[in-house]
Amino acid sequence: MRALLSVYDKTGIADFARALHDAGCELISSGGTAKVIAEAGLPVTDVADLTGVPAILGHRVVTLHPKVHGGILADRGNPEHRADLERYGIEPIDLVVVNLYPFSSDPSIELIDIGGPAMVRAAAKNHAHVGVVTDPSQYELVLADLRSTGSLSDATRRRLALDAFRVTAAYDAQIVRWLEEQVEGSGASTASGELPERIDLTLERRAVLRYGENPHQIGARYATRGASGWWDTAVQHGGKEMSYLNVFDADAAWRLVHSLGDLPAAVVIKHANPCGVAVADDITTAYRRAHECDPVSAFGGIVAVNRPVTVGMAEALAPVFTEVLIAPGFEGDALVRLLEKRNLRVLEAAPPSPLTTGLRQIDGGFLVQTPDQVTIDRSAWQVVTKAVPTEEQWADLELAWQVVAKVTSNAIVLVKDGQAVGIGCGQQNRRDAGRLACEKAAGRAAGGVYASDAFFPFPDGLDGAVEAGAACVVQPGGSIRDEEVIAAADQHGLAMVFTGERHFRH
């Protein structure tokens, strides 16, 4: 049995090579891998000695040779193949051990692996005769077969071939995405302002979840192969395994809390919607005020904060049944206090990365869109009423606009003094959303801000603002009845700002 080993990730390669040698395998290798094997005291044939050609073109061409690929691709049951091997002095290769340059770690021309994928694909194609190993985690699988029967089973070779083609597919997709950014411009859209004609998705399972949206459903978290997000580095300090909705809601909470500016901020999410948001001078106050928005809905919710959790905040959260808490860190004995809550999942996480595209599955495919970026730019906003917001009200306008964009449409958000006090979401008409927000505010919105994710089609859309005693309204504008709405705002003494940007969320 002959094994060719050429790996970028040399984790465990010396021990694996030794086990192969002990099982009677002849070892072939090149470059750094050959050096590691030789330094381990094992006999190894250099690829250059096999082919008669040294590595050339700055190591771009090492294994691209008939004595390598002929040995991998030969069908041992085909007389013509056997004759070719004999004619050209090519010996079969039974096992290919290759992992690829880490292109996604530092995308560049020199990290586009050529020889590696060529050998992997060749071995995977000829899996009836050849085993292909693409990850150190597969070493033990191979050795188990060799110890048991002295060779790889058909089932193992098929399993390894499937994994190999997944690896090369994902690798090519990484290169495509990198070149798309160079050719078509950065971000999700092309230089022409359109989404790309083709999107290649290769996903790998990163975590098995407790269950899906409901306990009878199976759930898992997948990531784009070769990429990583904050979930891959997050540390869970306590609590049960995460469920599908825990992950879904936690991601929404973490993104929202990181969009709220530089002040200490806290967010409570329930069923993908904010039910509490606040900014304050310290994180304990921010959490208390976020929870006060809607304590009933906060029961069993997800909490995210953008500052390390203090002991004071841990004490404030302790009496509240909370599914998940996400924070950048913990001060003093705060983590010890939190872990006393046996069922609380405590996550320590890095900030989220920007989204590039939004995908939603439909029959036979996906809907794709660019992400909904919320713009806070007072110079682009227009005060359309006689009354003008005060500086304090402007701060609340900005907070309300950030929050309402993350609430399921139709959406109304009431904010006062850096605290969301009423949130109405997911209604088929805007008046009902406003009514719900007012009911939840329960008089706390007097003098505050009334935010709507879309324009008011009729002047009665302001009824909720008047009922809540709000002083300011922020909305996109753009209705054919804008003048009537403006007149109604003036009649009630409301200040109203048009942002020119709608934020529906379904």
Side-chain angles (χ1 to χ4, degrees):
M1 187 170 179
R2 302 172 81 229
L4 193 158
L5 301 90
S6 179
V7 296
Y8 185 92
D9 179 1
K10 296 176 178 57
T11 303
I13 192 63
D15 291 339
F16 184 53
R18 185 177 302 281
L20 292 176
H21 172 70
D22 292 345
C25 291
E26 176 188 344
L27 306 179
I28 306 164
S29 189
S30 65
T33 309
K35 182 179 179 181
V36 170
I37 295 172
E39 289 176 348
L42 300 170
V44 58
T45 300
D46 195 283
V47 168
D49 295 328
L50 178 72
T51 64
V53 180
I56 61 173
L57 306 183
H59 215 73
R60 284 189 174 190
V61 177
V62 181
T63 57
L64 296 172
H65 192 280
K67 288 203 171 181
V68 173
H69 285 273
I72 297 172
L73 281 165
D75 178 353
R76 287 80 182 285
N78 186 318
E80 292 183 5
H81 287 205
R82 292 200 304 271
D84 281 344
L85 293 180
E86 184 176 353
R87 181 179 302 116
Y88 297 107
I90 300 172
E91 295 185 60
I93 294 171
D94 306 287
L95 181 67
V96 172
V97 183
V98 173
N99 55 63
L100 310 180
Y101 297 162
F103 177 82
S104 61
S105 67
D106 183 22
S108 65
I109 290 296
E110 291 308 319
L111 279 185
I112 297 178
D113 201 335
I114 302 300
M119 289 188 289
V120 168
R121 290 179 62 84
K125 173 177 178 174
N126 199 28
H127 65 269
H129 305 283
V130 181
V132 55
V133 177
T134 53
D135 191 274
S137 64
Q138 299 167 331
Y139 292 169
E140 190 52 42
L141 172 66
V142 170
L143 294 177
D145 267 19
L146 293 181
R147 294 183 189 116
S148 175
T149 64
S151 62
L152 297 185
S153 68
D154 291 343
T156 295
R157 290 195 304 273
R158 280 194 298 271
R159 177 77 252 178
L160 293 171
L162 172 60
D163 289 342
F165 279 121
R166 283 174 171 162
V167 165
T168 58
Y171 196 76
D172 288 343
Q174 294 169 24
I175 297 168
V176 168
R177 285 194 297 272
W178 177 65
L179 286 173
E180 281 176 343
E181 290 181 1
Q182 294 186 322
V183 173
E184 300 175 343
S186 61
S189 58
T190 65
S192 63
E194 299 177 349
L195 288 164
E197 291 186 7
R198 175 174 174 170
I199 296 174
D200 295 305
L201 284 178
T202 304
L203 306 178
E204 62 181 10
R205 193 178 67 196
R206 296 282 173 87
V208 175
L209 305 175
R210 285 186 73 207
Y211 49 79
E213 218 163 354
N214 298 287
H216 65 274
Q217 295 173 268
I218 297 172
R221 177 176 62 82
Y222 286 74
T224 305
R225 190 155 192 169
S228 63
W230 71 267
W231 283 103
D232 296 307
T233 58
V235 177
Q236 182 172 340
H237 290 290
K240 301 175 184 177
E241 295 176 350
M242 300 282 283
S243 71
Y244 178 99
L245 287 179
N246 290 154
V247 173
F248 189 78
D249 288 352
D251 198 72
W254 199 228
R255 290 192 177 280
L256 177 54
V257 82
H258 277 85
S259 72
L260 300 179
D262 297 328
L263 288 172
V267 167
V268 185
I269 292 281
K270 188 72 171 290
H271 294 295
N273 276 296
C275 61
V277 179
V279 296
D281 292 332
D282 64 88
I283 201 60
T284 301
T285 303
Y287 167 69
R288 288 184 186 278
R289 301 185 79 216
H291 178 75
E292 288 168 359
C293 176
D294 187 353
V296 174
S297 297
F299 180 86
I302 311 291
V303 174
V305 294
N306 65 354
R307 293 289 193 280
V309 176
T310 62
V311 174
M313 183 192 153
E315 293 289 350
L317 184 138
V320 182
F321 172 51
T322 303
E323 289 276 1
V324 181
L325 168 65
I326 323 165
F330 306 89
E331 295 181 0
D333 292 330
L335 184 58
V336 174
R337 180 70 178 92
L338 292 167
L339 293 181
E340 292 174 1
K341 295 172 66 66
R342 188 173 58 183
N343 292 327
L344 173 63
R345 301 163 179 87
V346 181
L347 300 182
E348 186 173 353
S353 54
L355 294 174
T356 55
T357 48
L359 289 85
R360 182 167 291 180
Q361 192 168 13
I362 58 173
D363 188 25
F366 293 86
L367 289 172
V368 181
Q369 64 178 347
T370 56
D372 182 17
Q373 304 288 359
V374 182
T375 303
I376 300 296
D377 181 5
R378 291 189 196 179
S379 65
W381 291 4
Q382 182 184 9
V383 179
V384 294
T385 50
K386 297 173 183 176
V388 176
T390 65
E391 192 60 32
E392 292 78 10
Q393 289 166 344
W394 272 113
D396 282 347
L397 283 164
E398 293 179 3
L399 177 61
W401 192 239
Q402 287 279 8
V403 176
V404 79
K406 303 302 181 184
V407 177
T408 304
S409 299
N410 286 319
I412 296 291
V413 171
L414 282 160
V415 169
K416 176 69 183 300
D417 295 334
Q419 177 189 27
V421 292
I423 299 174
C425 63
Q427 299 305 302
Q428 286 76 17
N429 69 76
R430 200 155 300 280
R431 290 184 64 190
D432 283 351
R435 176 179 52 79
L436 285 171
C438 290
E439 287 179 4
K440 290 178 182 290
R444 294 174 294 169
V449 168
Y450 188 84
S452 173
D453 62 341
F455 63 63
F456 297 113
F458 301 98
D460 61 7
L462 296 177
D463 290 351
V466 175
E467 180 184 343
C472 301
V473 174
V474 58
Q475 58 133 320
S479 167
I480 59 172
R481 293 183 175 84
D482 272 350
E483 293 304 320
E484 297 176 36
V485 175
I486 293 169
D490 283 335
Q491 179 182 347
H492 293 290
L494 293 168
M496 187 158 62
V497 175
F498 282 3
T499 67
E501 188 177 72
R502 189 183 76 183
H503 289 291
F504 272 159
R505 181 172 177 267
H506 290 74

